[in-house]
């Protein structure tokens, strides 16, 4: 008994540093953000304003634009990427496929770049005098360069393509290792029963990968809701507020415009709520398993 | 029909591989060209690499940025691995109801977006600057402190600890090792794969971190690689050759770390998803 109690105390010592760090750098600032969101003022001269920051959200066109943009990134990008990653992993899991190693590394390669670095690359590729426009003009598909980054819809498409480019291979790796854990005899039996490739994919592969699909869709959703590096470096939120994300708006409110920390904190609580909401929905949709 | 399907698979994968690789190809080629050739869309290697290198290290001070990023990433990785593995081990080996509750509370921090923490952290480090300037605003310490401990890494080490042979702990106790001694002398050496995977993830995240360093590091001599690249890309008359060379150099360490240890990465990540 005495020994047990002693080892329990030692256990607390092991988890102590982490608990202190997470409390100081996550929970305490989160609590501070909540307090801040009820205050307003320039820089450090703050006064209590009740819920007025939250009321202001509804009439703030930039906030509404940022919310709308972030949603558009989310509802297009995450499903496109997850489906693409699934398709790649199923194709690359075929034992008879040749050049497998090459295709795997090629599709995974984007995941080793930093978000800022690839954003700058994409900005240049899609610039008015960028390589995409040059190519399209050379093959006479267009005569005038396309304004990729100064048209609000095209700019959003470029950002969605950029995120997809960066993360599809990363998610594919998880599916590939998940597929390798599925017993080949299950597929064998399905084929004997006369199931076609599509049926095998929807009835066996998807259900077997469900926990991993849940994991990747939650991490991708959380990541996309927080998107910052890309919009900051590809379009800087423009044209107008055509690509600005919620995180970038918080950054602008705090460090670019005259700092309004209270309002920025209220905006940040919108992302917190969205992340909790979407994670709950995804757990619910994924069903009972975990 | 079968042949047709096969051909389609190869064409589809080749197109995907082309789109994946092309930006890399273009970035490497551009780093050897003059800025004006990059804007002309030149797709062949040029002879301007050394000129670009000279500009990058002499006029932009890439050397300092590399040093800053390396110091932050290495310090973060070493500290993060020790702190998180201690906790993962502690939660699993000395398991109790209260610790399980605490563990779940710590996991909640994964749901907190960094944008929500940025302003309070900035104000916090502003306050620290008054009393302890060595870890205040505009120090490398401030750039790394909030990123050292993540709930994900604790979770990761706890999952991996489940696979650790517990008999070794008893053996260690009989040999008279202290509990910490068992951790450092028995657990750590036997969990190399988990540490390798955690090191890759932490190093890559730290090396590529942008938003917090952007907020907390202000003077030019403190800037890290992502800040330098971002500044190069947004200046009024960017030198594209130099920009792309910086991107190539910034990508080399993470690409190397990753490809040298990719088996560990996948094994470790799968261990934590199951």
């Amino acid at each position: 008994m005495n020994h047990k109690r002693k080892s329990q105390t030692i256990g607390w010592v092991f988890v102590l540093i982490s608990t202190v760090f997470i409390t100081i750098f996550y929970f305490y600032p989160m609590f501070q953000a909540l307090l801040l969101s009820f205050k307003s003022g320039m820089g450090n001269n703050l006064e209590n304003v009740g819920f007025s920051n939250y009321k202001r959200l509804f009439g703030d066109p930039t906030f509404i634009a940022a919310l709308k943009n972030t949603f558009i990134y989310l509802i297009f990008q995450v499903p496109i990427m997850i489906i693409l990653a699934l398709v790649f992993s199923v194709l690359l899991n075929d034992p008879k496929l040749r050049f497998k190693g090459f295709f795997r590394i090629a599709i995974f390669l984007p995941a080793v770049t930093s978000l800022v670095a690839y954003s700058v690359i994409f900005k240049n590729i899609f610039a008015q005098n960028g390589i995409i426009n040059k190519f399209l003009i050379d093959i006479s598909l267009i005569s005038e360069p396309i304004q990729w980054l100064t048209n609000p819809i095209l700019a959003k498409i470029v950002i969605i393509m950029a995120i997809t480019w960066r993360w599809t291979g990363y998610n594919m790796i998880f599916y590939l290792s998940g597929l390798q854990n599925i017993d080949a005899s299950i597929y064998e039996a399905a084929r004997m029963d006369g199931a076609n490739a599509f049926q095998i994919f929807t009835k066996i592969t998807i259900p077997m990968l469900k926990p991993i699909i849940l994991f990747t869709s939650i991490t991708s959703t959380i990541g996309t809701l927080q998107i910052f590096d890309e919009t900051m470096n590809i379009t800087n939120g423009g044209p107008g507020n055509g690509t600005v994300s919620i995180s970038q708006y918080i950054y602008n409110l705090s460090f670019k415009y005259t700092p309004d920390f209270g309002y920025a904190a209220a905006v940040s609580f919108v992302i917190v709520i969205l992340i909790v909401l979407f994670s709950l929905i995804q757990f619910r949709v994924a069903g009972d398993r975990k | 029909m079968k042949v047709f399907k096969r051909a389609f698979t190869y064409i589809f994968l080749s197109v995907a591989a082309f789109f994946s690789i092309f930006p890399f190809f273009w970035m490497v080629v551009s780093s050897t060209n003059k800025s004006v050739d990059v804007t002309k869309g030149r797709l062949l290697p040029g002879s301007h690499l050394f000129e670009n290198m000279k500009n990058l290290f002499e006029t932009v001070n890439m050397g300092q940025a590399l040093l800053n990023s390396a110091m932050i990433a290495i310090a973060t990785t070493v500290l993060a691995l020790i702190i998180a593995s201690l906790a993962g081990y502690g939660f699993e080996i000395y398991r109790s109801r209260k610790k399980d509750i605490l563990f779940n509370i710590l996991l909640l921090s994964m749901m907190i977006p960094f944008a929500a923490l940025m302003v309070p952290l900035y104000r916090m480090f502003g306050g620290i600057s008054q009393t302890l300037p060595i870890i205040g605003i505009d120090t490398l310490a401030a750039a790394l402190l909030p990123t050292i401990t993540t709930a994900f890494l604790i979770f990761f080490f706890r999952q991996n600890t489940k696979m650790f042979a517990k008999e070794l702990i008893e053996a260690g106790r009989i040999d008279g090792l202290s509990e910490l001694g068992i951790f450092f002398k028995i657990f750590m050496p036997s969990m190399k794969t988990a540490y390798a995977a955690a090191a890759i993830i932490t190093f890559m995240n730290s090396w590529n971190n942008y938003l917090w360093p952007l907020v907390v590091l202000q003077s030019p001599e403190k800037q890290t690689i992502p800040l330098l690249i971002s500044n190069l890309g947004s200046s009024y008359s960017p030198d594209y050759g130099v920009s792309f060379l910086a991107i190539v150099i910034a990508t080399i360490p993470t690409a190397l770390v990753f490809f040298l240890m990719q088996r560990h990465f996948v094994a470790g990540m799968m261990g934590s998803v199951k």
Side-chain angles (χ1 to χ4, degrees), chain A residues 235-288:
Chain A
T235 56
N236 199 8
N241 286 314
T243 57
V244 73
S245 68
I246 305 179
S247 290
Q248 200 188 351
Y249 187 43
I250 297 168
Y251 177 81
N252 290 345
L253 282 172
S254 316
F255 301 107
K256 199 172 147 195
Y257 312 149
T258 317
D260 187 342
F261 291 145
Y263 186 53
V267 176
S268 68
F269 264 86
V270 176
I271 315 192
V272 177
I273 293 164
L274 287 177
I275 286 179
V276 173
L277 215 65
F278 276 103
S279 301
L280 287 177
I281 292 173
Q282 280 165 333
F283 272 114
R284 183 54 66 81
V285 170
D288 43 12

Side-chain angles (χ1 to χ4, degrees), chain A residues 182-246:
Chain A
I182 300 178
D183 203 333
S185 62
I186 301 177
Y187 286 111
E188 206 64 40
R191 250 177 247 119
M192 300 267 267
D193 290 342
N196 62 34
F198 183 74
Q199 283 169 326
I200 290 176
F201 183 69
T202 53
K203 298 271 162 62
I204 298 177
T205 307
I206 300 245
M208 296 289 258
L209 289 181
K210 209 159 144 187
I212 304 175
I213 295 175
L214 178 67
F215 171 80
T216 52
S217 53
I218 288 181
T219 51
S220 309
T221 300
I222 294 179
T224 308
L225 284 174
Q226 298 191 52
I227 181 171
F228 174 81
D229 303 26
E230 290 88 344
T231 62
M232 179 86 171
N233 287 296
I234 299 178
T235 56
N236 199 8
N241 286 314
T243 57
V244 73
S245 68
I246 305 179

Side-chain angles (χ1 to χ4, degrees), chain A residues 11-12 14-15 18-19, chain B residues 86-96 98-104 106 154 158:
Chain A
W12 286 109
F14 273 82
V15 304
S18 292
T19 308
Chain B
L86 269 173
Y89 178 88
F91 279 121
E92 187 58 31
I93 300 298
Y94 307 101
R95 202 166 169 186
S96 69
K98 279 185 193 150
K99 283 197 203 77
D100 281 350
I101 295 169
L102 175 66
F103 180 73
N104 286 324
L106 294 187
I154 301 171
R158 181 178 191 167

Side-chain angles (χ1 to χ4, degrees), chain A residues 8 94 114 124 134 233, chain B residues 6 10 39 99 208 230 240:
Chain A
Q8 277 302 326
D94 180 350
S114 93
N124 285 292
K134 286 237 160 61
N233 287 296
Chain B
R6 200 115 276 247
Y10 282 108
T39 56
K99 283 197 203 77
N208 293 333
S230 174
Y240 294 107

Side-chain angles (χ1 to χ4, degrees), chain B residues 100-262:
Chain B
D100 281 350
I101 295 169
L102 175 66
F103 180 73
N104 286 324
I105 294 173
L106 294 187
L107 282 191
L108 283 180
S109 68
M110 285 206 273
M111 305 264 259
I112 304 177
F114 187 76
L117 303 176
M118 166 170 86
V119 168
L121 282 176
Y122 178 75
R123 287 161 51 93
M124 203 165 104
F125 278 96
I128 294 173
S129 293
Q130 315 293 320
T131 48
L132 254 179
I134 45 162
I135 60 167
I137 300 279
D138 205 25
T139 62
L140 298 186
L144 68 89
L145 273 171
T147 60
I148 283 182
T149 313
T150 61
F152 174 76
L153 214 53
I154 301 171
F155 173 78
F156 173 89
F157 274 109
R158 181 178 191 167
Q159 292 299 103
N160 278 288
T161 305
K162 289 186 185 186
M163 290 179 258
F164 174 64
K166 313 280 185 301
E167 304 79 55
L168 292 175
I169 298 176
E170 271 317 306
R173 282 182 187 144
I174 291 166
D175 287 350
L177 277 173
S178 69
E179 298 296 306
L180 263 181
I182 293 169
F183 177 81
F184 283 110
K185 293 206 179 106
I186 300 177
F187 178 79
M188 271 190 160
S190 72
M191 300 298 281
K192 283 200 189 101
T193 310
Y195 279 97
I200 299 173
I201 304 161
T202 313
F203 183 87
M204 284 176 82
N205 284 343
S206 179
W207 183 264
N208 293 333
N209 194 10
Y210 175 60
L211 179 50
W212 176 240
L214 176 68
V215 168
V216 81
L217 297 176
Q218 290 153 350
S219 46
E221 69 274 12
K222 296 280 164 58
Q223 74 180 345
T224 57
I225 305 248
L227 300 181
L228 179 124
I229 291 173
S230 174
N231 288 339
L232 284 177
S234 63
S235 63
Y236 286 105
S237 53
D239 184 316
Y240 294 107
V242 172
S243 271
F244 282 104
L245 181 61
I247 293 174
V248 171
I249 294 176
T251 310
I252 291 172
T254 47
L256 267 183
V257 164
F258 189 82
F259 283 109
L260 289 177
M261 305 209 252
Q262 66 160 326

Side-chain angles (χ1 to χ4, degrees), chain B residues 3 13 18 28 37 53 69 114 140 167 194 203 207 213 218 233 268:
Chain B
V3 176
L13 287 174
F18 172 79
V28 172
D37 286 331
M53 190 96 80
S69 277
F114 187 76
L140 298 186
E167 304 79 55
F203 183 87
W207 183 264
Q218 290 153 350

